[in-house]
Amino acid sequence: GHPGALLQVDDLHVAYGRVEAVTGVNLSVEAGQIVSVIGANGAGKSTLLAALIGALPSRGVIRYAGRDVRQMPLEDRVAAGMTLVPERRELFGSMTVEDNLQLGAYTQRAGMQSGLADVFRRFPRLLERRKQLAGTLSGGEQQMLAIGRALMARPKLLLLDEPSLGLAPLIVRDILHIVAELRDSGVTVLLVEQNARAALAISDYGYVLEGGHVKLEGPAARLADDPAVVASYLGG
Ligand code: ATP
């Protein structure tokens, strides 16, 4: 293992009924890095993140900031600094941008104004649209709002599930640029992406998940050059 890691996962198993979707995953995330998990549809990426945040039960070890949080309730993990941005964004479409952001701060009521100021500084587009209903935002704006809402909880470890899903290439570039800026401002990121090339380009380290377990891992630049990764995940 990596003794100084912010997140250390050992032999993690997650099942839906009798079917295991995550079958013994080991991974670690060093503080201050972006670590990406890539893999095909159904490899278990979303299931892994759901278990890490506590939305699904699991077996094994999830060591975050030095303690095993595997059996800790989801809200306690959020209070301890883990936050998930789910794949389908799960915004409240008939509420405004600002109200959606305020809901993200439920563990941090004291810091509401400074939290909003920080999110609007990072996402000027959301400031312009703060009274707009979330359901009327573009796909890219909705992803910014989902990330902004997660930031309202002041995360140390951001778990990001497919932030580029359904977005045009230029918007994907903007979103991943924002993720890199978050890392540079001290937020550690575990990034799940199908858009493997773009994810590895901003990552420090990467894991390839296949059939619920880690098939390959390494520094992101090395994975991006690995012929097996290129052939299977980077489109030749
Ligand atoms: P995608 O990128 O398509 O979301 P993924 O790598 O995130 O794929 P998961 O969504 O974690 O994969 O799914 C892993 C496996 O678990 C798949 O075989 C999937 O069909 C199964 N699975 C996911 N959710 C459930 C569920 N609620 N009940 C039963 N099986 C599920």
Side-chain angles (χ1 to χ4, degrees):
H2 304 248
L6 180 60
L7 179 72
Q8 173 80 42
V9 174
D10 295 321
D11 196 26
L12 195 74
H13 295 255
V14 189
Y16 297 103
R18 293 186 177 178
V19 180
E20 275 205 341
V22 170
T23 60
V25 162
N26 300 293
L27 65 80
S28 65
V29 180
E30 300 287 329
Q33 295 199 337
I34 298 175
V35 173
S36 56
V37 176
I38 63 175
N41 280 312
K45 306 181 300 295
S46 296
T47 302
L48 171 65
L49 290 192
L52 294 179
I53 197 66
L56 286 174
S58 59
R59 289 188 294 118
V61 177
I62 303 173
R63 187 170 299 283
Y64 165 75
R67 57 182 167 154
D68 190 354
V69 300
R70 185 180 59 85
Q71 292 178 294
M72 188 184 275
L74 184 152
E75 58 271 25
D76 293 353
R77 296 188 215 196
V78 175
M82 302 174 85
T83 302
L84 172 67
V85 181
E87 180 170 5
R88 282 173 219 301
R89 295 162 199 166
E90 294 173 16
L91 301 170
F92 295 92
S94 58
M95 292 172 53
T96 65
V97 165
E98 188 159 7
D99 288 343
N100 270 276
L101 289 173
Q102 290 183 346
L103 284 174
Y106 64 97
T107 59
Q108 296 281 334
R109 290 203 198 289
M112 183 72 78
Q113 286 313 319
S114 67
L116 281 175
D118 177 59
V119 170
F120 288 144
R121 182 178 54 74
R122 287 180 193 281
F123 300 102
R125 189 89 72 100
L126 296 181
L127 176 61
E128 288 164 21
R129 294 169 186 274
R130 68 187 188 282
K131 299 298 179 194
Q132 186 172 329
L133 299 184
T136 65
L137 296 173
S138 73
E141 290 163 355
Q142 290 192 13
Q143 185 61 59
M144 290 177 198
L145 179 55
I147 294 172
R149 186 180 55 182
L151 294 177
M152 293 293 290
R154 304 286 179 165
K156 296 185 181 71
L157 176 64
L158 194 60
L159 308 171
L160 268 175
D161 197 354
E162 297 264 10
S164 78
L165 189 74
L167 303 181
L170 279 179
I171 313 295
V172 170
R173 202 190 58 182
D174 288 349
I175 295 287
L176 293 179
H177 180 72
I178 287 164
V179 174
E181 283 180 351
L182 287 173
R183 183 260 319 271
D184 295 343
S185 66
V187 181
T188 304
V189 179
L190 183 57
L191 171 66
V192 158
E193 263 294 340
Q194 287 218 35
N195 199 333
R197 191 184 298 281
L200 291 174
I202 61 160
S203 295
D204 300 285
Y205 200 84
Y207 292 88
V208 177
L209 211 61
E210 194 176 294
H213 68 272
V214 174
K215 190 178 180 217
L216 272 171
E217 64 172 278
R222 175 137 56 81
L223 278 187
D225 280 342
D226 183 313
V229 175
V230 171
S232 299
Y233 303 102
L234 303 181

